[in-house]
Amino acid sequence: MEVVAKKTPLQREIARRRTFGIISHPDAGKTTLTEKMLLMGGAIHEAGEVRANKSRRHATSDWMDMEKERGISVTSSVMQFEYSGCKINLLDTPGHKDFSEDTYRVLTAVDSVIMVLDHAAGVEPQTKKLMEVCRMRNTPIITFINKLDRDGLPPLDLLSDIEETLGIEAVPFNWPLGMGRLFRGTYDFRQEAIHLYSKGAGTQNTVPVTEDVEALLDELMGSRAEDIRFEIDLLSEAGANFSEEAYRAGRQTPVFFGSALNNFGIKRMLDTFVDIAPAPQPRKTITREVQPDEEQFSGLVFKIQANMDPRHRDRIAFVRVCSGRFERGMTVKHHRLEQDLRINNATMFMAQEREGVTTAYPGDIIGVHNHGTIRIGDSFSTDETLWFTGVPSFAPERFRKVQLNDPFRAKHLAKGLQQLSEEGAIQVYRPLQGSDFILGAVGELQFDVTVERLKTEYNVDAQLVGVNVSAARWVESDDKKRFAEFRSRFQNDLYTDGAGDLAFLTYSTWYLNRTMEEWKDIRFKSTKEFVPEAVE
């Protein structure tokens, strides 16, 4: 008789945690789905409203003024709630393509993903790009096809689109009965039941109808019943069977159809997510893989956010607990600085709302107050020196020069840009020769957000103007003499970024390629990991 080892208290806490992110193309309904999940978890009781703060009607996860005004998500936020005996950590990612780098870093902190597709659009460019990030880490993905209450693409075409465009096997767990004005509900393959749809944003915790399903299908769908019956039979007999192993390996995605706006289909998906999504997984470091149930506490900083609460002008470091148990007041080693750090006032998040935390476990995200000493990619642990990997920064593609309207605000400008660069919201370059800041970004909206935040959070009135720069690369070399020659030759093209690393900025990719050919002893890097030189 096999003896099953009894789980420790730490292992029990790990087993009941699910840490995931939501990805989508803009306007697919990601924010709406996020809020309906929070409603089901009891974290909020009205969409767009945080409990105990009834005056707000903007999206719970969109806390920045620009997000509220434009109806977009340009920051990432963390929300924790209880559901079905599990502690759910939901990381909301920026929906806008210009903030994909922030999304990439958030995806390094999750164990699984829910992908939202618009029923009328199928797989869109931003979804495809984010899927490539997930594939790099074989992240398990559940797909929610949204907006069935509107007319859209045939469901079989959507499955083909997922498989052909994203290269992942799609296994429907339910099937739509009509769409748009004729949408009547879904057929559940596992329950062999029909879930009836009714318009409205109520709870829609429908009771599945399991008796006389065939007769009900005829009643609901009329002349269209035979076509839907054919699709259901086809998928039941010839479609792929769900494999938890294939899902966990990122090769297969369960697919759910529903309407986030009308709160339909979400509970069934969330119930399945709790059942099949992985608990906190091992994390790679420079030296070894860290298991979540190790006694030693360890954590990784994957995001920094300044001024989440304008009343406090603070900076918060988002730390993913990777192993062990966090306790308030504990002292950890901050390895990059080779210093001890006592964490007395860690917080947990509900979008912009916070509460103090006394304990946290692997998979949880805690906020640590930061006075400029913590950076993205920093690693903490209580004992062994550990450097977690996989948190990159990308060379920007667009550039602007900063012009200050009031020269007396120069110090405030420098402080604001430094803090925004620490977040990873923008990349800031300061020339070795001269004083003008150059900003680098993936997309134009990042510049708009930077100007807006400088004005509202730092009281700095600045404008961004064009600059003759079109490419940037971080530079380094093992040959100190050759590197000194390079620095002397290109001193007018060299800048330091917010972290103090040297970068080569130039006016054209042609000139960049020519320089790389001439200086083969120099490494020109389009990405860099947040790992200190001591362990590179």
Side-chain angles (χ1 to χ4, degrees):
M1 177 176 166
E2 185 179 347
V3 177
V4 179
K6 186 177 180 181
K7 286 185 177 180
T8 65
L10 174 59
Q11 289 171 331
R12 286 197 296 271
E13 289 293 338
I14 293 169
R16 76 184 198 95
R17 274 162 170 75
R18 304 288 185 272
T19 301
F20 75 102
I22 301 183
I23 63 173
S24 76
H25 194 85
D27 299 323
K30 174 177 64 69
T31 299
T32 305
L33 178 64
T34 298
E35 295 198 329
K36 294 307 165 66
M37 288 183 173
L38 296 175
L39 280 166
M40 288 183 179
I44 60 174
H45 63 275
E46 181 181 328
E49 176 185 3
V50 177
R51 189 182 298 279
N53 201 341
K54 297 186 178 68
S55 63
R56 293 188 179 138
R57 290 295 182 272
H58 56 79
T60 300
S61 54
D62 293 346
W63 56 269
M64 191 185 294
D65 286 340
M66 180 176 284
E67 293 178 315
K68 301 169 202 171
E69 291 168 6
R70 300 193 185 187
I72 56 174
S73 300
V74 299
T75 57
S76 52
S77 53
V78 178
M79 289 146 283
Q80 186 181 77
F81 61 97
E82 293 265 356
Y83 184 81
S84 191
C86 285
K87 184 83 76 173
I88 310 293
N89 295 298
L90 190 165
L91 278 67
D92 184 36
T93 59
H96 200 282
K97 61 182 174 61
D98 288 0
F99 292 81
S100 54
E101 186 174 343
D102 194 25
T103 301
Y104 188 109
R105 288 194 287 265
V106 169
L107 291 177
T108 67
V110 303
D111 300 299
S112 63
V113 157
I114 290 178
M115 175 173 66
V116 185
L117 300 182
D118 185 335
H119 175 228
V123 178
E124 298 178 87
Q126 177 70 353
T127 311
K128 186 177 179 181
K129 188 173 182 181
L130 293 171
M131 181 67 185
E132 291 169 0
V133 174
C134 294
R135 186 173 285 112
M136 291 172 68
R137 301 179 63 241
N138 297 322
T139 306
I141 295 170
I142 289 177
T143 300
F144 184 77
I145 297 180
N146 193 24
K147 303 185 181 180
L148 263 293
D149 54 316
R150 303 180 185 179
D151 289 323
L153 300 172
L156 285 173
D157 289 356
L158 287 166
L159 294 186
S160 298
D161 192 20
I162 292 170
E163 295 191 336
E164 294 170 10
T165 308
L166 301 180
I168 187 170
E169 189 174 56
V171 181
F173 274 47
N174 66 5
W175 199 248
L177 307 181
M179 67 177 77
R181 290 186 299 106
L182 301 176
F183 182 49
R184 297 293 181 263
T186 54
Y187 175 80
D188 191 296
F189 286 100
R190 289 193 153 189
Q191 296 175 333
E192 296 184 348
I194 288 176
H195 290 255
L196 295 173
Y197 167 78
S198 60
K199 190 173 182 180
T203 57
Q204 297 251 12
N205 295 333
T206 58
V207 177
V209 179
T210 57
E211 296 182 0
D212 298 324
V213 170
E214 293 291 335
L216 180 59
L217 187 60
D218 288 327
E219 179 187 337
L220 291 171
M221 307 311 300
S223 61
R224 293 169 294 128
E226 276 307 309
D227 290 339
I228 291 175
R229 192 174 283 114
F230 171 77
E231 293 173 347
I232 291 172
D233 290 343
L234 176 68
L235 291 164
S236 298
E237 296 174 12
N241 293 321
F242 172 68
S243 162
E244 189 167 318
E245 179 186 359
Y247 158 70
R248 292 283 185 94
R251 300 193 305 269
Q252 191 183 82
T253 178
V255 178
F256 291 84
F257 292 84
S259 168
L261 183 63
N262 292 288
N263 213 355
F264 183 79
I266 299 173
K267 183 179 187 302
R268 186 75 180 109
M269 179 191 66
L270 196 52
D271 288 341
T272 303
F273 166 79
V274 167
D275 287 341
I276 68 174
Q281 297 294 290
R283 317 295 291 185
K284 291 183 179 179
T285 71
I286 293 290
T287 52
R288 67 179 182 88
E289 193 171 68
V290 173
Q291 300 298 320
D293 60 353
E294 294 181 18
E295 289 300 319
Q296 174 187 221
F297 165 81
S298 64
L300 167 67
V301 179
F302 65 92
K303 177 180 174 60
I304 305 251
Q305 186 71 61
N307 303 322
M308 287 187 73
D309 186 344
R311 294 169 297 182
H312 297 123
R313 295 295 179 195
D314 58 355
R315 272 181 287 179
I316 297 289
F318 287 62
V319 179
R320 152 92 188 212
V321 180
C322 299
S323 69
R325 168 185 162 121
F326 169 82
E327 295 180 342
R328 184 174 62 187
M330 76 187 312
T331 299
V332 301
K333 296 182 184 298
H334 185 179
H335 296 301
R336 179 176 55 81
L337 297 182
E338 298 182 340
Q339 294 177 357
D340 287 343
L341 174 67
R342 186 175 176 85
I343 305 177
N344 290 315
N345 298 309
T347 58
M348 279 192 178
F349 305 94
M350 226 311 292
Q352 79 276 28
E353 302 298 313
R354 310 177 202 164
E355 59 181 38
V357 57
T358 55
T359 58
Y361 296 90
D364 288 343
I365 310 298
I366 61 174
V368 176
H369 290 272
N370 173 27
H371 301 290
T373 57
I374 301 175
R375 294 180 186 170
I376 293 172
D378 279 354
S379 299
F380 303 138
S381 64
T382 48
D383 187 15
E384 178 186 358
T385 300
L386 296 170
W387 290 103
F388 290 98
T389 61
V391 187
S393 181
F394 300 92
E397 301 168 5
R398 301 167 190 266
F399 301 87
R400 294 287 186 276
K401 184 167 70 173
V402 183
Q403 283 189 346
L404 190 59
N405 295 329
D406 181 358
F408 292 104
R409 304 295 293 174
K411 287 186 177 180
H412 294 80
L413 172 67
K415 177 183 178 181
L417 291 177
Q418 177 65 28
Q419 291 191 3
L420 293 177
S421 70
E422 286 173 6
E423 290 182 21
I426 197 82
Q427 293 193 39
V428 179
Y429 299 93
R430 194 161 201 167
L432 297 186
Q433 304 289 326
S435 58
D436 289 334
F437 288 104
I438 303 292
L439 303 187
V442 173
E444 291 293 329
L445 186 60
Q446 285 180 272
F447 294 129
D448 294 343
V449 170
T450 298
V451 171
E452 177 72 16
R453 292 186 65 185
L454 284 172
K455 185 175 182 179
T456 59
E457 298 173 20
Y458 301 95
N459 196 27
V460 171
D461 188 15
Q463 57 188 20
L464 305 183
V465 297
V467 62
N468 191 24
V469 175
S470 63
R473 294 293 185 270
W474 289 282
V475 288
E476 60 185 24
S477 177
D478 298 324
D479 188 331
K480 292 184 179 180
K481 181 181 178 182
R482 187 68 169 156
F483 199 45
E485 293 173 1
F486 177 82
R487 290 181 61 130
S488 176
R489 165 82 179 273
F490 294 101
Q491 57 182 317
N492 292 326
D493 300 313
L494 293 175
Y495 295 71
T496 54
D497 68 6
D501 295 322
L502 195 64
F504 176 69
L505 273 61
T506 183
Y507 64 89
S508 74
T509 53
W510 172 84
Y511 188 67
L512 171 65
N513 291 332
R514 176 183 164 188
T515 306
M516 291 169 66
E517 281 292 318
E518 291 179 358
W519 295 81
K520 293 186 181 295
D521 296 327
I522 310 298
R523 288 189 294 276
F524 294 79
K525 300 167 66 175
S526 59
T527 63
K528 69 169 183 173
E529 283 232 8
F530 293 91
V531 176
E533 295 179 1
V535 294
E536 285 183 338

